[in-house]
């Protein structure tokens, strides 16, 4: 199914990103959040993000304010940081991305489990620490990555959930841990698979700092 859903049908879309983060704990915690919307086109000229003049003006104003006040928040830049090439590619051409994730994992099982009230099958895959970049593996002590994919009767992906738990230690004294869940829902646009939604939430600790975050696209 993934092989037949890697088409090049023309695509025009609007993409919105929301980014929320909380750094620290208790009364000293600091929250930041941002939201931005851009256009997206994929056709004979390739994949193109489209930034409106109004959005560019707001980004310029935000940057000027940050020059005068180094502590000024930059919510637009924060949100736009979640709409880089890799993310836009994953949203507009989801099949190749999902295929790579599956190829980097081992199949663990299959069960009948409905999705959004529709009959579906849930496929479960698990990756080892070898899926991390080679330079990062030596610091990781505990690692778990489970990918669940819900598919329809013809194998078309309906949704996926990528769960990660990892912890380790770097430079002897610096311990860290990270937990995240990334859930995507899919739809067909001609002969291509697109991600209608992409939500990631998680937390991280390390070097005496803590952070919780939620990203929605």
């Amino acid at each position: 199914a993934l092989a037949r859903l890697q088409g090049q049908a023309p695509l025009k879309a609007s993409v919105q990103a929301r980014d929320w983060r909380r750094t620290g704990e208790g009364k000293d915690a600091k929250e930041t959040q941002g939201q931005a919307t851009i256009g997206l086109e994929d056709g004979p000229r390739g994949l193109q993000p489209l930034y409106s003049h109004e959005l560019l003006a707001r980004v310029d104003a935000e940057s000027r304010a940050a020059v005068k006040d180094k502590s000024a928040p930059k919510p637009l830049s924060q949100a736009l940081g979640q709409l880089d090439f890799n993310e836009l590619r994953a949203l507009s051409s989801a099949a190749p991305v999902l295929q790579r994730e599956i190829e980097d994992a081992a199949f663990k099982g299959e069960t009948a489990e409905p999705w959004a009230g529709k009959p579906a099958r849930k496929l479960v895959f698990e990756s080892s620490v070898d899926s991390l970049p080679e330079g990062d593996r030596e610091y990781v002590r505990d690692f778990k990555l489970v990918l669940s994919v819900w598919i329809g009767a013809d194998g078309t992906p309906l949704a996926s959930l990528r769960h990660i738990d990892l912890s380790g230690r770097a430079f002897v004294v610096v311990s860290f841990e990270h937990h995240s869940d990334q859930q995507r829902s899919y739809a067909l646009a001609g002969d291509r698979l697109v991600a209608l939604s992409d939500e990631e939430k998680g937390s991280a600790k390390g070097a005496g700092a803590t952070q919780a975050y939620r990203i929605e696209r």
Side-chain angles (χ1 to χ4, degrees):
L2 291 174
R4 64 177 167 78
L5 294 174
Q6 300 190 30
Q8 301 297 319
L11 178 70
K12 290 186 177 182
S14 176
V15 185
Q16 183 181 79
R18 297 187 182 96
D19 185 311
W20 171 87
R21 295 174 188 273
R22 184 180 68 241
T23 304
E25 298 178 329
K27 63 180 182 180
D28 296 325
K30 180 181 179 181
E31 289 191 13
T32 59
Q33 59 182 330
Q35 177 176 316
T37 302
I38 67 170
L40 184 67
E41 293 187 5
D42 195 356
R45 298 179 60 187
L47 184 66
Q48 301 179 80
L50 304 174
Y51 305 96
S52 69
H53 293 299
E54 185 269 340
L55 176 63
L56 294 175
R58 290 170 57 201
V59 172
D60 288 341
E62 184 179 85
S63 297
R64 290 196 301 271
V67 170
K68 297 179 181 179
D69 180 3
K70 304 303 181 183
S71 63
K74 300 176 70 175
L76 273 177
S77 298
Q78 179 178 336
L80 286 171
Q82 302 304 328
L83 294 175
D84 62 13
F85 168 78
N86 289 329
E87 300 301 340
L88 294 178
R89 179 65 174 167
L91 293 172
S92 61
S93 297
V97 175
L98 187 55
Q99 187 168 7
R100 287 195 297 270
E101 292 177 346
I102 289 174
E103 290 174 348
D104 200 27
F107 177 65
K108 290 298 181 180
E110 172 184 350
T111 57
E113 184 174 309
W115 175 263
K118 299 179 181 179
R121 288 179 292 158
K122 176 183 174 182
L123 311 181
V124 179
F125 305 84
E126 189 169 334
S127 296
S128 70
V129 70
D130 292 337
S131 62
L132 295 176
E134 186 175 357
D136 296 339
R137 298 174 202 162
E138 61 180 300
Y139 303 114
V140 175
R141 297 294 177 264
D142 296 300
F143 179 83
K144 180 180 182 180
L145 193 164
V146 177
L147 173 66
S148 301
V149 183
W150 286 262
I151 63 174
D154 63 350
T156 299
L158 304 174
S160 65
L161 175 62
R162 193 167 183 257
H163 174 82
I164 298 177
D165 291 313
L166 67 83
S167 61
R169 186 177 297 273
F171 309 112
V172 183
V173 296
V174 180
S175 61
F176 62 87
E177 61 180 84
H178 172 80
H179 311 278
S180 68
D181 286 298
Q182 183 175 26
Q183 185 164 324
R184 291 172 175 154
S185 63
Y186 303 104
L188 298 181
D191 57 355
R192 70 165 76 204
L193 186 72
V194 298
L196 285 183
S197 65
D198 180 349
E199 180 178 354
E200 180 179 354
K201 53 186 177 182
S203 62
K205 294 181 180 180
T210 63
Q211 184 182 75
Y213 67 91
R214 183 175 65 254
I215 303 164
E216 299 174 352
R217 304 179 188 89

